[in-house]
Amino acid sequence: MTGTTLDDYTDRYARRVRGMTASEIRALFAVASRPEVVSLAGGAPYIAALPLDAVGEMLGRLGSEHGATTLQYGIGQGTLELRERICEVMALSGIDAACGASPEDVVVTVGGQQALDLVARLFLDPGDVVLAEGPTYVGALGVFQAAQAQVVHVPMDDDGLIPEALEAAVAELARAGRRVKFLYTIPTYQNPMGVTLSEERRERVLDICERAGLLVVEDDPYGQLGFEGDAPRPLRARRRDGVFYLSTFSKTFAPGLRVGWILAPHAVRDKLVIASEAQILCPSGYAQAAVSTYLGTMPWREQLKVYREVYRERRDAMLTALDDLMPAGTTWTNPAGGLFVWATLPDGLNSKAMMPRAIAARVAYVPGTGFYADGTGTGNMRLNFSFPSPERIREGVRRLAGVMEQDIAMRRVFGTVSRPEVRRGQAGADTPGPDLA
């Protein structure tokens, strides 16, 4: 060894490890968790809204009365009881037996993240292309990067993924001889933009993928957290073949239990189970029992209503604060559900470069660059409203607006900043067309 690197194992890593970096969000956690910092960065649900005394008693009984089974090994697919409960949950969104949803085709996973990783392991070879919304979930980008796939982003607007842009990307990649495996999409209350794919566009997107022979990986962690009526039916409720439906109990019950699932086409189910067994042998029996018991003995549908009301209040607090306090030229989305607002900065501001000054002002957010595979998004930031109280949200926005005003003032002195007048509150995103390079 020459001693030229801080990592003496650099030349021994597998090729898939090259370029592996920490996510923008994880890198923020240590700072954002300090009590003096108002964190608008993470995506943590407000667990205090749960009936914690009752949940605690339930968890205690699972250990003391049923420990001989809940603390034992289980099967790789997950318990039948939980898979049946999962089908009950999906039926609320329209994914029911009539469209082919069956406990036999559900695979329980360690959160939604393992579900993503399993799909990538089954379908992605090095060099394959994944089409994904731009911007998209940072955890998915990490999975696709580890699989040595290239992500090509398809832009969105207030109505979600733009079908014409998807069709153009598919055609351009075909002309270039590139192998596209699937579309990864979060169509409902999207992370990070908070927008929802419109009813009409859902059918068009499915038609485009069907014609192109593309699988669809539908990630739906937030679909039951709508504030303004029912969300459109999931893609999986519309098409049975070629659509993988991924979800989790992290946003509707407890992220610490790490329980998610995949509803897969029947032919793929066994391969998913084999791949999961190779990773984890079996999901936690205790965590599965906790979710099954919660769904079977507690008023979880009423709890969903509680979450919706809490998050609606906090969404409204954030939108009001943004409207009252943000500098002219700032725009943002108006989510009808979920946990996030996506903001576009006044012309010339850089969300990543501004972060140290924001932390010094004791406020945290996630720069938009974390949600693109190509470093795009410097003019955007993701703001979370699910965890802080309404008062803390307003204080965080006040601090953030102050940092932005300082940056604007500095640029007026040291360089011209063009800040076109844009109607405040209008959705916007720094989302270019697909990069096929």
Side-chain angles (χ1 to χ4, degrees):
M1 292 290 186
T2 62
T4 58
T5 176
L6 294 176
D7 187 348
D8 291 337
Y9 298 91
T10 298
D11 60 347
R12 304 186 187 193
Y13 288 128
R15 288 189 182 92
R16 61 182 171 273
V17 177
R18 295 174 186 174
M20 188 179 290
T21 57
S23 80
E24 301 273 359
I25 299 174
R26 294 294 171 188
L28 282 169
F29 271 7
V31 173
S33 61
R34 296 174 184 169
E36 70 272 16
V37 174
V38 178
S39 178
L40 307 176
Y46 186 60
I47 296 300
L50 285 169
L52 292 178
D53 288 347
V55 171
E57 291 176 8
M58 178 195 79
L59 295 176
R61 289 195 303 272
L62 288 177
S64 62
E65 299 175 15
H66 307 285
T69 53
T70 61
L71 301 178
Q72 186 56 275
Y73 286 117
I75 62 173
Q77 188 175 356
T79 67
L80 176 59
E81 180 183 6
L82 178 56
R83 288 184 278 123
E84 289 174 341
R85 297 290 185 191
I86 285 171
C87 286
E88 293 175 12
V89 171
M90 291 191 295
L92 286 183
S93 303
I95 304 174
D96 55 21
C99 61
S102 163
E104 291 302 308
D105 295 330
V106 172
V107 178
V108 178
T109 61
V110 182
Q113 193 68 20
Q114 193 209 5
L116 274 171
D117 190 69
L118 289 175
V119 172
R121 284 173 182 266
L122 258 59
F123 290 104
L124 294 179
D125 289 316
D128 283 344
V129 175
V130 174
L131 289 169
E133 294 145 343
T136 193
Y137 169 49
V138 64
L141 292 177
V143 167
F144 302 148
Q145 179 190 58
Q148 298 176 274
Q150 181 193 359
V151 174
V152 172
H153 289 295
V154 181
M156 294 188 292
D157 60 19
D158 285 343
D159 291 320
L161 186 73
I162 301 171
E164 293 82 2
L166 173 63
E167 200 158 28
V170 169
E172 181 63 26
L173 287 161
R175 285 193 294 269
R178 302 297 303 279
R179 189 181 188 191
V180 186
K181 285 295 183 66
F182 56 77
L183 169 68
Y184 170 70
T185 177
I186 311 168
T188 305
Y189 316 135
Q190 199 253 8
N191 178 5
M193 278 190 71
V195 300
T196 296
L197 187 64
S198 68
E199 186 75 35
E200 182 264 344
R201 286 189 180 183
R202 289 180 183 235
E203 296 296 337
R204 293 174 63 193
V205 165
L206 286 168
D207 287 342
I208 291 167
C209 291
E210 186 173 312
R211 288 195 301 268
L214 293 182
L215 300 175
V216 176
V217 178
E218 179 181 18
D219 199 355
D220 189 25
Y222 314 104
Q224 294 179 345
L225 296 177
F227 314 144
E228 299 169 6
D230 295 334
R233 287 187 305 133
L235 303 179
R236 180 56 181 78
R238 302 158 190 268
R239 304 284 171 93
R240 178 182 308 192
D241 296 330
V243 180
F244 291 75
Y245 181 81
L246 283 54
S247 193
T248 177
F249 291 103
S250 291
K251 305 304 188 291
T252 57
F253 180 26
L257 291 173
R258 309 304 305 131
V259 177
W261 74 90
I262 307 174
L263 175 64
H266 185 75
V268 185
R269 187 271 318 273
D270 287 344
K271 289 183 173 59
L272 284 169
V273 173
I274 292 169
S276 182
E277 288 173 340
Q279 283 184 322
I280 63 166
L281 192 62
C282 62
S284 163
Y286 183 82
Q288 291 181 84
V291 175
S292 296
T293 306
Y294 173 75
L295 295 174
T297 64
M298 293 194 179
W300 60 273
R301 291 175 180 83
E302 295 303 313
Q303 184 60 41
L304 285 176
K305 295 177 183 178
V306 171
Y307 274 131
R308 290 172 190 143
E309 289 302 318
V310 168
Y311 296 155
R312 178 191 289 113
E313 179 188 22
R314 295 174 182 213
R315 186 274 313 264
D316 291 347
M318 174 161 283
L319 293 179
T320 299
L322 290 170
D323 193 56
D324 290 346
L325 301 170
M326 277 286 125
T330 311
T331 62
W332 51 87
T333 55
N334 186 345
L339 310 183
F340 306 109
V341 166
W342 180 251
T344 300
L345 304 180
D347 192 27
L349 296 192
N350 183 313
S351 61
K352 192 164 186 177
M354 196 171 66
M355 175 58 74
R357 293 184 288 282
I359 295 299
R362 294 170 295 141
V363 60
Y365 58 86
V366 185
T369 50
F371 304 97
Y372 289 93
D374 56 6
T376 305
T378 57
N380 302 109
M381 63 174 70
R382 191 192 75 176
L383 305 174
N384 167 257
F385 54 78
S386 61
F387 191 75
S389 68
E391 295 75 22
R392 292 280 283 176
I393 288 171
R394 187 172 183 87
E395 175 60 18
V397 171
R398 186 193 68 78
R399 295 177 188 181
L400 180 56
V403 173
M404 293 167 62
E405 293 281 13
Q406 289 176 355
D407 267 29
I408 290 170
M410 288 178 61
R411 290 174 184 278
R412 283 174 175 162
V413 173
F414 297 107
T416 302
V417 178
S418 174
R419 294 191 296 128
E421 290 299 319
V422 180
R423 181 174 58 84
R424 302 179 77 183
Q426 174 186 341
D430 181 11
T431 49
D435 177 9
L436 307 182

